[in-house]
Amino acid sequence: MYIVKRLLTMLLTIWVITTLTFVVMHAIPGDPFASDSDVLPEEVLNNMRAKFNLDQPLPVQYVLYLKNLASFDLGPSIESETRDVNTLIAEGLPASALLGFQALVIAIVFGMALGIIASLFHNRTIDYGAMAVAILGISIPSFILAPLLIKFFAVKWGMLPVASWGTWQHTILPSVALAAGPLAIIARFTRSSMLEVLKQNYMKTADAKGLGTAGIIVKHGIRNAVIPVISFMGPLVAHLLTGTFVIEKIFAIPGLGKYFVDSIFNRDYPVILGTTIFFSVVLIVTLFLIDLSYRLIDPRIKLTSRGD
Amino acid sequence: MSITWNKRFAGLLVFILILSVLSACSGGSKTSSTEGVKQEITLNALSEPPSLDPALATDTTSGWILDHLYEGLYMKNKSGDSVKGLAKDVKVSADKKVYTFKLRDDAEWSDGDPVTAGDFEYAWKHVLDPKTGSSFAFYMYYIKGAEAYNKGKGSAADVGVKALDDKTLQVELAAPTSFIEKLLSFWVYYPVKKEAAEGNKNWAGEAKDYVSNGPYKLTEWKHNRSVAIEKNKNYYGKDDVKMEKVTWKMVNDATTYYQMYKSGELDLIQTLPSDVIAQEKDNKEYKVTPYFGTYMYMFNIGKEPFNNQKVREAFNLAIDRKMITDKITQAGEKPAMGFVPYGAEVNGKDFRKEHEKYFTEDVKKAKQLIKEAMKEEGWSKFPETELTYNTLESHKKTAEAVQEMLKKNLGVDVKLTNQEWKTYLDTTKQKNFQMARMGWIGIYVDPTPILDYYLGDSPNNRTNWVNPKYDQLLAQSKKEQNEGKRMELLHQAEDVLMKDLPFLPVYYYSNNYLTSKKFKGIVYPVNRYPYVRWAEKVSE
């Protein structure tokens, strides 16, 4: 029952997002066909508009779009003459998702490790050191970090390629640059939540039972401390997997990230809608999965719809 | 022991085999210093080319690749002149309206089929077909019946292009057009293989279905990553193509492609950021070439204060253009005191050099003009003035310098505003501005596409300025067959424009490049990115 209700809510959410995006994007001034070399005769322009249904009144366009959406067709791209939105996403997603996944692994593994170590050495030099690293990670923006990584690892030491895409070596620097921010945030979350958990009675009980430190930390500590980290992961996973504009631009990654931004500058309506809907779906599904995972991690949490 | 020998022997045999195959391929070419150097070059397209269909491409990136893949009836030679390409012979009727082209017998598509006159007829009519929605169809309006068909008022049958037989193409023009050869080398006029394009809407979208007839064929297109082209063995002029393979990567971030150039991943980069220019200015690899375009501010003469010619002139006189190109843009641009940029040769002379400056900057005179204008218009104080530009750091810097100069030299306060590009286009189109930034680039190197910008009925002319004399002179110039007289008419038209001054020219654009020392023979055309078909890699 919970899952059915949840799925219906998800559909409703996507419909609301689609509608809002549709309205807002048509409200911004500008025209996908406008350019500084405005040389198209009105007749040709009308032909092009007709090609994308833009000659129809907005409500009709809206209904047509929803109709196509129902069959998972996100429509053509105005900017790309030859490829539609489904193709753009299908081609861009693998690169973005691979980078996002690698970044996620780096961020979680190193972030949690850093946080746990810091909490165990609370208010000692190691703690301060770890948190200094975390603060650096949060405060250095990726568009600074990425060129720095390129400068040293690629240009100065020649260990890795500068940019572009093709081999696993190409994925390392962008993954690291992507991971830095989330890594720092995860480290801080983990630390504070571990500090909380370490004070709990069940930890003392475990200690009194004679369990070893490592056992206590892994079995009782991390499992309880991970909940806030997981909550933060929902939006993070969606963002990382669908690509980021800045990192993909700097490293010339053939990913999805640029469409989120460029489509708006180009007034490429189908791409604006398509990418927004795609992102929403990924986000909503991730949030749903995370809600489900809470129960696995902490049996005290019950999944109920309100009013049950 | 014997095994080793065998291996050696086998190796030697293979080596000899390869050598003989190689020498057979190159037709026993003379030994040159480039032997053993792989003839490959890696360029940067900055971004995915929007279209490699000659009918649909409208941007210089797509054009860059297309110009290597195709050849039209005419082609550009090393010095940028239009010379016969696929056309081996042309007959012109007495009234200069009917051109009959004979195609080369050895013209072939990359798949080995012959290029026919029918391919040209098909391609051109496809461009003009209103259903194609080609943005550059208007470049074909010189052909009889083309405009009517494109605007949905005529039929394809009435368009003046006809394949008389497989190798003869007849083109009937709407009026005599003296620069037709320049037009015919332009990519909208490329042929398209009918069998490949018909029935496959997406033929130009992927490398596997792609057929071209020029020096190169498309061999790989990894979307948003790279495009690779390789020498077309079926091209009749293949002996004149030195570079075997050209790869374009798509790297948009300026710092990144500069780093890739420095680490050797790119051999040639363009559009350098100003901090790189400052650093590389004295490097021998750095090169500046003129770009056939003008950076300007349009005046809206339908609004105060620019309704008064004296104000427009005063603004023009009060700007220190050299200071802008030297200190702000820094990329080798030239101060503009006319409209048509350098580089357009008419009648064997550079149009701009014939009359370089229409005025000299003169603050004193500018002040005087403002005073007179205020008196004429009865303004007690100078009307509020706003300068609008599209949001970009470099435009901002230039606008701020202009603002400062106007304040200092004329005592006029100009407010700056900026808008995101598409919004900006809307604003200027609705003529909802006083003074607004714009750039204009001639798609082919002739004064006409530049001067056409301010025609009374040009959709680009957003200034409210209409001068029948100007329109009439340009119309006349298009019909004029004598190049000397045409040049004269074009100069007269520019005279009219520069007297009324509905705009403020700032500078003529330039392109800048860093090119690896390993290459020689790259050609840098005036309004295109470099041609590399004649380039040679001389060392690894």
Side-chain angles (χ1 to χ4, degrees):
Chain A
M1 195 56 211
Y2 167 78
I3 290 186
V4 173
K5 267 197 177 168
R6 192 61 200 264
L7 285 175
L8 284 176
T9 328
M10 282 159 72
L11 274 181
L12 186 73
T13 315
I14 288 166
W15 174 73
V16 170
I17 290 171
T18 310
T19 310
L20 280 178
T21 313
F22 187 90
V23 171
V24 171
M25 107 191 154
H26 280 287
I28 30 177
D31 176 341
F33 301 112
S35 80
D36 52 348
S37 57
D38 224 339
V39 282
L40 291 183
E42 204 45 45
E43 292 83 352
V44 176
L45 217 50
N46 290 339
N47 281 324
M48 290 166 68
R49 290 212 176 90
K51 205 162 134 188
F52 299 100
N53 291 331
L54 293 172
D55 54 340
Q56 311 275 355
L58 280 184
V60 178
Q61 287 185 41
Y62 175 67
V63 173
L64 281 173
Y65 189 81
L66 285 189
K67 234 165 102 185
N68 287 336
L69 185 62
S71 58
F72 299 103
D73 177 6
L74 295 172
S77 159
I78 299 174
E79 183 71 10
S80 165
E81 298 279 359
T82 45
R83 285 160 327 127
D84 58 18
V85 182
N86 288 33
T87 317
L88 291 183
I89 292 178
E91 283 178 357
L93 187 63
S96 290
L98 176 66
L99 282 193
F101 178 73
Q102 290 186 181
L104 206 59
V105 172
I106 298 174
I108 292 172
V109 171
F110 290 92
M112 288 193 64
L114 211 61
I116 292 166
I117 292 169
S119 69
L120 294 179
F121 295 89
H122 186 40
N123 282 346
R124 310 240 293 271
T125 320
I126 294 181
D127 181 20
Y128 294 137
M131 283 309 105
V133 170
I135 286 170
L136 270 181
I138 294 172
S139 44
I140 297 181
S142 55
F143 60 85
I144 304 276
L145 181 64
L148 277 177
L149 289 175
I150 292 179
K151 187 177 175 194
F152 288 102
F153 288 93
V155 180
K156 242 188 173 152
W157 300 328
M159 295 159 68
L160 293 163
V162 174
S164 193
W165 191 249
T167 62
W168 64 270
Q169 285 98 328
H170 286 107
T171 68
I172 295 180
L173 291 183
S175 298
V176 171
L178 260 181
L183 186 153
I185 296 173
I186 290 177
R188 290 179 60 88
F189 270 142
T190 312
R191 174 179 174 270
S192 55
S193 117
M194 266 307 267
L195 286 176
E196 198 64 33
V197 170
L198 288 174
K199 287 188 210 130
Q200 298 293 321
N201 283 332
Y202 56 74
M203 295 299 278
K204 288 177 191 151
T205 313
D207 194 23
K209 278 197 299 186
L211 279 177
T213 318
I216 298 175
I217 298 297
V218 174
K219 227 175 156 186
H220 301 281
I222 296 180
R223 186 153 177 194
N224 282 298
V226 87
I227 296 283
V229 176
I230 298 226
S231 309
F232 163 72
M233 294 247 302
L236 179 69
V237 168
H239 271 288
L240 286 181
L241 292 187
T242 53
T244 50
F245 178 74
V246 175
I247 294 294
E248 291 186 2
K249 182 172 175 231
I250 293 177
F251 288 100
I253 308 289
L256 265 186
K258 70 162 179 293
Y259 296 119
F260 290 98
V261 179
D262 287 352
S263 62
I264 297 171
F265 285 127
N266 295 332
R267 306 289 190 273
D268 196 340
Y269 297 130
V271 180
I272 300 178
L273 271 173
T275 48
T276 310
I277 293 169
F278 180 72
F279 177 77
S280 321
V281 170
V282 174
L283 179 64
I284 290 167
V285 170
T286 323
L287 289 178
F288 174 59
L289 292 177
I290 281 177
D291 281 356
L292 290 181
S293 74
Y294 284 148
R295 182 159 170 87
L296 293 176
I297 292 163
D298 189 346
R300 287 172 300 181
I301 295 174
K302 285 209 172 57
L303 296 174
T304 52
S305 320
R306 220 169 295 159
D308 276 10
Chain B
M1 185 67 196
S2 70
I3 293 168
T4 326
W5 186 87
N6 268 340
K7 264 191 183 164
R8 265 191 201 158
F9 181 72
L12 190 70
L13 199 68
V14 169
F15 181 60
I16 292 171
L17 269 176
I18 290 175
L19 257 189
S20 56
V21 168
L22 277 182
S23 60
C25 284
S26 58
S29 73
K30 295 151 270 168
T31 340
S32 72
S33 58
T34 62
E35 205 163 347
V37 180
K38 246 189 180 171
Q39 293 301 311
E40 292 182 4
I41 188 166
T42 309
L43 310 170
N44 183 20
L46 293 171
S47 57
E48 167 94 351
S51 178
L52 290 185
D53 180 345
L56 297 176
T58 55
D59 63 295
T60 42
T61 303
S62 305
W64 194 10
I65 301 169
L66 282 173
D67 285 344
H68 284 86
L69 289 170
Y70 285 90
E71 185 173 300
L73 292 170
Y74 283 77
M75 63 171 269
K76 289 265 173 66
N77 67 6
K78 284 181 197 172
S79 44
D81 302 321
S82 276
V83 296
K84 286 195 191 77
L86 282 202
K88 71 172 178 194
D89 187 42
V90 53
K91 285 200 180 67
V92 189
S93 68
D95 63 355
K96 310 247 177 181
K97 276 164 93 170
V98 182
Y99 283 67
T100 312
F101 298 98
K102 272 273 176 222
L103 300 192
R104 297 182 64 105
D105 298 315
D106 51 358
E108 284 175 7
W109 292 105
S110 48
D111 61 5
D113 289 345
V115 180
T116 66
D119 293 327
F120 277 94
E121 184 183 342
Y122 167 75
W124 295 9
K125 285 185 175 168
H126 177 67
V127 170
L128 290 168
D129 188 340
K131 281 203 278 302
T132 307
S134 166
S135 308
F136 274 6
F138 74 98
Y139 281 115
M140 283 195 172
Y141 286 1
Y142 301 97
I143 299 171
K144 193 186 147 207
E147 184 167 359
Y149 176 42
N150 189 233
K151 290 186 172 175
K153 290 169 194 148
S155 76
D158 295 333
V159 176
V161 48
K162 206 168 152 199
L164 298 182
D165 60 51
D166 269 1
K167 290 289 166 191
T168 317
L169 185 74
Q170 192 185 64
V171 181
E172 193 174 344
L173 302 178
T177 308
S178 56
F179 46 93
I180 191 75
E181 291 176 10
K182 283 184 190 174
L183 278 173
L184 289 176
S185 66
F186 180 42
W187 70 72
V188 279
Y189 286 95
Y190 286 153
V192 165
K193 191 181 178 196
K194 195 175 168 186
E195 294 83 10
E198 236 174 15
N200 181 3
K201 219 178 77 201
N202 202 20
W203 72 275
E206 307 293 337
K208 63 175 167 48
D209 304 324
Y210 203 86
V211 189
S212 65
N213 74 322
Y216 294 89
K217 59 180 184 197
L218 184 65
T219 48
E220 188 183 63
W221 186 356
K222 291 182 184 158
H223 294 289
N224 288 307
R225 272 164 76 176
S226 62
V227 167
I229 63 175
E230 280 171 48
K231 193 166 161 175
N232 175 9
K233 296 278 183 286
N234 292 310
Y235 175 55
Y236 70 87
K238 58 176 179 290
D239 295 340
D240 193 29
V241 181
K242 291 188 174 131
M243 191 52 62
E244 296 283 335
K245 184 176 179 186
V246 188
T247 308
W248 279 270
K249 295 205 169 163
M250 299 163 196
V251 186
N252 195 252
D253 186 78
T255 316
T256 307
Y257 59 70
Y258 175 60
Q259 305 278 35
M260 288 176 81
Y261 175 79
K262 281 292 178 192
S263 70
E265 290 171 61
L266 291 171
D267 297 315
L268 184 158
I269 55 172
Q270 72 279 13
T271 323
L272 309 170
S274 52
D275 52 328
V276 167
I277 293 172
Q279 207 174 322
E280 299 284 347
K281 234 175 194 163
D282 302 319
N283 187 340
K284 278 201 181 107
E285 297 168 24
Y286 178 72
K287 184 176 176 73
V288 177
T289 61
Y291 191 48
F292 197 61
T294 308
Y295 186 103
M296 61 193 165
Y297 293 108
M298 311 181 289
F299 293 131
N300 185 346
I301 74 162
K303 286 195 179 186
E304 280 188 353
F306 300 113
N307 55 335
N308 191 299
Q309 188 274 345
K310 285 182 176 155
V311 173
R312 306 197 295 266
E313 191 178 344
F315 271 49
N316 263 294
L317 297 184
I319 303 299
D320 184 349
R321 291 165 177 78
K322 198 161 163 11
M323 146 77 188
I324 291 172
T325 55
D326 282 357
K327 300 277 184 266
I328 297 169
T329 58
Q330 293 185 40
E333 295 88 351
K334 283 193 179 143
M337 278 157 278
F339 188 28
V340 179
Y342 290 91
E345 288 216 348
V346 183
N347 204 19
K349 288 175 197 142
D350 189 306
F351 182 84
R352 182 75 286 141
K353 283 185 184 151
E354 292 289 287
H355 187 167
E356 291 208 72
K357 289 179 188 174
Y358 272 96
F359 52 81
T360 40
E361 288 151 2
D362 183 342
V363 174
K364 226 170 120 190
K365 191 175 165 202
K367 271 187 188 152
Q368 183 60 32
L369 283 166
I370 289 282
K371 227 182 250 167
E372 287 172 27
M374 290 186 60
K375 210 168 159 197
E376 278 171 24
E377 302 289 332
W379 296 326
S380 55
K381 71 185 217 325
F382 197 77
E384 269 190 31
T385 309
E386 202 173 73
L387 190 167
T388 319
Y389 58 92
N390 57 301
T391 315
L392 198 76
E393 190 56 30
S394 57
H395 297 330
K396 183 175 169 221
K397 282 186 195 157
T398 308
E400 281 171 353
V402 167
Q403 179 190 41
E404 184 62 35
M405 289 167 186
L406 291 172
K407 170 87 192 147
K408 192 173 139 244
N409 296 340
L410 298 181
V412 170
D413 277 311
V414 173
K415 220 177 101 197
L416 300 185
T417 56
N418 67 87
Q419 292 174 351
E420 178 268 338
W421 181 234
K422 291 267 178 177
T423 311
Y424 179 76
L425 288 173
D426 242 22
T427 308
T428 50
K429 203 173 188 172
Q430 291 160 5
K431 302 184 175 153
N432 195 6
F433 69 93
Q434 288 172 295
M435 182 176 176
R437 186 210 79 85
M438 198 50 85
W440 185 244
I441 288 143
I443 196 82
Y444 55 93
V445 189
D446 190 88
T448 307
I450 298 286
L451 293 171
D452 273 356
Y453 192 84
Y454 284 117
L455 279 177
D457 62 354
S458 158
N460 292 311
N461 181 355
R462 294 161 190 196
T463 60
N464 280 316
W465 178 77
V466 181
N467 189 326
K469 182 98 201 287
Y470 184 73
D471 294 0
Q472 180 231 322
L473 283 164
L474 280 179
Q476 235 177 304
S477 78
K478 283 173 190 161
K479 288 180 195 145
E480 183 53 59
Q481 286 298 303
N482 181 302
E483 279 287 273
K485 281 189 195 145
R486 187 170 81 93
M487 174 102 143
E488 189 45 46
L489 287 166
L490 291 170
H491 274 302
Q492 283 174 16
E494 199 185 28
D495 293 346
V496 173
L497 178 74
M498 293 308 293
K499 186 168 171 294
D500 282 4
L501 284 171
F503 74 121
L504 187 159
V506 183
Y507 56 76
Y508 304 122
Y509 283 104
S510 69
N511 266 336
N512 43 59
Y513 302 100
L514 279 171
T515 312
S516 160
K517 277 189 285 240
K518 293 171 192 161
F519 295 87
K520 63 170 197 191
I522 295 174
V523 171
Y524 301 83
V526 174
N527 68 337
R528 291 280 190 283
Y529 288 128
Y531 290 157
V532 297
R533 64 174 283 190
W534 296 293
E536 250 181 302
K537 191 173 185 183
V538 291
S539 65
E540 282 294 350

